[in-house]
Amino acid sequence: TTPTINTTMASTTTRQGDGTITVTPSNPSLQSATIIICHGLGDSSEGFIDVAEHLSSQMPHVKFILPTAPTQKVTMNMGMAMPSWYDIVGLDKRSNEFCKGIEESQQRIEQLLKDEHDNLGVPYDRMVLAGFSQGGALSLYTGMQLPSKLAGIVIMSGYLPHESGFNIANGLHDTPIWHGHGAADPLVRITAANESQSAVKAKGATNYTLKTYPGLAHSVNPQEIGDVLSFLQQILPPGGEGDFKVKLKEPSEMSVKELKGAIAKAGLGRLAVGLMEKREFVELLEKHRDG
């Protein structure tokens, strides 16, 4: 499926046929960090695109990736099929041990991180996993069991899933974890948030912050998003370590099709009108990357 592309001055939003949305700096050479945001049960990547674009406007050096969960039957919802990172049997602690499909989703998120690292050279300590509800649970479960330490993990209205299968990997115990939760959440109750923090700490985590929001139900509000932004700005400051920059394919090595795609994503379509020769497309893209 042909991706749809929307460009502003600072970023480019691309929607892929598989439901993945990316928000990338309009000049991709400015990227020095990546944040993956996983949505909640029954939602899609569209559910958090407004949040991602808001965060992007404040953190123009960050690329945001929003995947959509596979559609599968959910036991708790009478077997109805919906986007879900894994099956949910119930919301009590015992039911929370049955999370069929969580390993597959864990591997998918790990692959997204690996692709950013292998293809663009983004260090793991310049990447963050974030998510809401079931997506926050997946981010916590995945992020603390990776082969390399992330810059941090953001959980919004989430919890620790499949506790018996969760063990923190060597060297990851001090990974910064920020957990925001509505005190009036009737679905994932605040007791589940407290129990999750205690369980993760019992496994050895040393940097787990839980902040509650009075009156907030199973949702987010502007105050929480502001706190998320502050946390992200703290763990992913602009520029990265040293002179890190993403590894981009040189325009001169691209095909004409690749050049046209990169020019469209950069919002340079108007400037490309009338261009015919490959070298003209190369010059336009090089000039844009050089600022």
Side-chain angles (χ1 to χ4, degrees):
T1 305
T2 303
T4 59
I5 300 170
N6 297 310
T7 302
T8 66
M9 288 292 288
S11 66
T12 299
T13 299
T14 305
R15 288 170 168 82
Q16 302 289 349
D18 65 353
T20 301
I21 303 176
T22 57
V23 182
T24 311
S26 289
N27 184 348
S29 64
L30 298 179
Q31 179 192 349
S32 67
T34 301
I35 297 173
I36 297 173
I37 303 178
C38 296
H39 62 77
L41 176 67
D43 201 359
S44 73
S45 53
E46 295 289 349
F48 262 76
I49 186 59
D50 289 347
V51 170
E53 289 179 337
H54 168 68
L55 295 174
S56 173
S57 71
Q58 304 301 310
M59 303 181 73
H61 59 289
V62 177
K63 174 183 178 181
F64 293 82
I65 302 174
L66 292 79
T68 292
T71 297
Q72 54 189 314
K73 293 179 179 180
V74 177
T75 301
M76 183 180 71
N77 289 352
M78 298 177 291
M80 288 178 58
M82 61 187 65
S84 180
W85 296 109
Y86 50 87
D87 187 27
I88 297 179
V89 174
L91 296 175
D92 60 282
K93 198 168 184 180
R94 183 179 178 186
S95 298
N96 190 34
E97 284 301 315
F98 301 98
C99 300
K100 183 181 178 183
I102 195 169
E103 286 82 11
E104 290 82 356
S105 289
Q106 178 184 13
Q107 290 168 11
R108 181 176 170 195
I109 301 305
E110 287 179 354
Q111 189 61 51
L112 288 175
L113 293 167
K114 188 174 186 297
D115 288 346
E116 286 292 293
H117 178 70
D118 292 352
N119 299 336
L120 296 177
V122 183
Y124 278 86
D125 63 5
R126 292 290 295 171
M127 293 193 277
V128 167
L129 288 183
F132 175 77
S133 193
Q134 190 193 41
L138 177 65
S139 297
L140 174 61
Y141 189 82
T142 303
M144 296 300 283
Q145 302 190 90
L146 292 167
S148 300
K149 186 166 74 173
L150 298 174
I153 297 167
V154 173
I155 309 160
M156 294 168 279
S157 305
Y159 56 92
L160 174 64
H162 192 32
E163 182 181 335
S164 63
F166 176 81
N167 291 290
I168 300 174
N170 289 335
L172 271 61
H173 295 85
D174 61 345
T175 302
I177 303 168
W178 188 93
H179 184 163
H181 213 102
D185 192 330
L187 193 62
V188 181
R189 297 185 180 278
I190 193 65
T191 51
N194 288 319
E195 288 171 357
S196 293
Q197 182 189 38
S198 297
V200 175
K201 282 186 170 182
K203 297 275 188 174
T206 60
N207 194 354
Y208 192 129
T209 300
L210 174 60
K211 181 166 184 179
T212 58
Y213 296 86
L216 181 64
H218 194 62
S219 183
V220 297
N221 61 18
Q223 182 187 352
E224 182 177 4
I225 297 304
D227 291 340
V228 168
L229 175 61
S230 296
F231 175 71
L232 292 173
Q233 289 175 327
Q234 177 186 338
I235 61 174
L236 290 177
E241 297 181 6
D243 296 321
F244 165 71
K245 283 190 176 182
V246 293
K247 297 183 298 186
L248 296 173
K249 193 172 185 178
E250 290 296 328
S252 59
E253 297 173 358
M254 293 181 178
S255 66
V256 172
K257 183 178 180 180
E258 288 174 322
L259 285 164
K260 288 181 177 179
I263 286 168
K265 285 187 70 173
L268 303 174
R270 289 182 180 178
L271 299 178
V273 173
L275 299 186
M276 301 290 290
E277 300 291 330
K278 178 179 177 179
R279 63 172 178 78
E280 294 176 306
F281 292 112
V282 170
E283 289 171 3
L284 175 61
L285 192 56
E286 286 180 338
K287 185 177 180 181
H288 173 66
R289 288 186 179 178
D290 293 340

